[in-house]
Amino acid sequence: MKPSKNVSPVGWYVASYLERFEFPDEDQSNADRKCRAWENTIIVKAANPQEAYEKVIAQATMTQDTEWTRGDGQKGGHLRFEGLSSLLPIYDEIEDGAEIMWRDFKNHKVKTIKNMVRPKAELEAFSKE
């Protein structure tokens, strides 16, 4: 029996989830309103994709009740969990150089791929903020 490509042979999964910031005075019915959002990427140890999915949701929703204050002093803002954007099995043991994520680009122009590469100074780890 061939192992499933969706099940990690090493028991690790990498997941990305989206959350956004929201204040109670926002027009909740306006999906075109601007917001601050984050895509967070984590790894979880799990026996299968379903367990990994449940663990990611549990982790991602832990901070949802935290109240935030806006720059103008208004209180009552909250993080809103939107959901997962990616869940991938990790195939390599977690160690230096282990591949934990990939994206498959089918039928892209070479120049599009080349334009995705950023200089070192523009990589997030070298941000001056």
Side-chain angles (χ1 to χ4, degrees):
M1 178 184 228
K2 183 179 175 183
S4 170
K5 68 176 183 151
N6 296 327
V7 177
S8 170
V10 295
W12 286 99
Y13 293 80
V14 59
S16 295
Y17 63 91
L18 292 161
E19 62 184 2
R20 65 182 170 82
F21 200 68
E22 183 175 84
F23 279 95
D25 64 347
E26 293 180 24
D27 179 1
Q28 306 295 319
S29 65
N30 180 5
D32 290 327
R33 71 189 185 280
K34 304 282 184 176
C35 69
R36 178 89 185 257
W38 297 267
E39 182 177 42
N40 301 307
T41 302
I42 62 173
I43 61 172
V44 294
K45 185 84 167 160
N48 56 57
Q50 180 63 36
E51 182 184 348
Y53 179 83
E54 291 168 7
K55 287 179 90 169
V56 172
I57 289 177
Q59 178 72 29
T61 56
M62 280 180 23
T63 60
Q64 300 307 297
D65 292 331
T66 304
E67 186 173 283
W68 298 83
T69 303
R70 201 158 48 191
D72 63 7
Q74 179 186 3
K75 292 185 178 187
H78 292 276
L79 286 174
R80 177 179 293 279
F81 171 71
E82 292 295 339
L84 274 67
S85 56
S86 179
L87 178 62
L88 295 168
I90 295 174
Y91 297 110
D92 297 344
E93 291 290 346
I94 302 296
E95 61 187 17
D96 193 21
E99 181 181 77
I100 62 164
M101 287 185 70
W102 68 93
R103 288 173 56 191
D104 188 359
F105 299 99
K106 295 179 182 174
N107 204 26
H108 279 58
K109 294 179 182 176
V110 171
K111 70 178 182 180
T112 301
I113 299 300
K114 288 181 175 278
N115 285 332
M116 295 170 79
V117 176
R118 297 187 295 185
K120 178 182 172 184
E122 291 180 18
L123 297 172
E124 297 86 348
F126 295 98
S127 169
K128 299 223 190 267
E129 291 181 19

